[in-house]
Amino acid sequence: QVQLVESGGELVQAGGSLRLSCAASGGIFINYAMGWFRQAPGKEREFVSAISRLGSYTYYADSVKGRFTISRDNAKNTVYLQMNRLKPEDTAVYYCAADLRFSHDASREESAYDYWGQGTQVTVSS
């Protein structure tokens, strides 16, 4: 059983920055591709970013490309999402997820992920 715990979400002004963290336990972190997804009020959950097991491949939604950066520290069993130049439309609950398929790549698809965290709220004020 893999446990994922997100942190770092808070209220921030537009143009500001936040770094989200997702700490994993209960498994072999280096075996998992990791993803970040978000869900805004009244909307479906959507892909934000993903990173492969060794960090060789990273992917971003078009809406965050150039503003967000995903990274991971396999020694700390943690994946990060650095979010810069935040916009009010970035307001959402952000979830991290683990893909246990032991692939060299990472997926944009929710269905590829086996474990999910509880989420952390990011609110961007205008």
Side-chain angles (χ1 to χ4, degrees):
Q1 190 80 3
V2 175
Q3 292 83 42
L4 302 173
V5 179
E6 302 96 335
S7 61
E10 62 181 71
L11 173 64
V12 64
Q13 286 191 332
S17 298
L18 283 175
R19 188 177 81 158
L20 304 183
S21 299
C22 172
S25 61
I28 304 174
F29 184 71
I30 199 170
N31 286 352
Y32 313 146
M34 299 295 295
W36 285 98
F37 293 78
R38 68 186 181 186
Q39 187 167 21
K43 295 187 177 181
E44 292 189 353
R45 189 158 57 186
E46 64 176 2
F47 170 77
V48 175
S49 184
I51 187 167
S52 58
R53 297 188 301 114
L54 302 180
S56 303
Y57 303 99
T58 57
Y59 302 96
Y60 298 93
D62 287 344
S63 59
V64 308
K65 199 173 296 183
R67 299 188 298 122
F68 291 11
T69 303
I70 191 170
S71 62
R72 64 189 295 160
D73 186 336
N74 287 339
K76 295 182 178 179
N77 291 357
T78 302
V79 62
Y80 304 97
L81 186 67
Q82 177 67 43
M83 306 187 296
N84 298 328
R85 304 198 310 276
L86 283 160
K87 305 175 180 180
E89 51 263 43
D90 294 319
T91 295
V93 177
Y94 283 71
Y95 300 90
C96 71
D99 173 1
L100 273 60
R101 292 177 299 162
F102 199 75
S103 168
H104 292 294
D105 208 340
S107 176
R108 297 169 179 261
E109 301 299 327
E110 280 193 52
S111 59
Y113 292 86
D114 303 284
Y115 290 95
W116 294 79
Q118 292 300 306
T120 185
Q121 176 70 48
V122 172
T123 303
V124 184
S125 64
S126 57

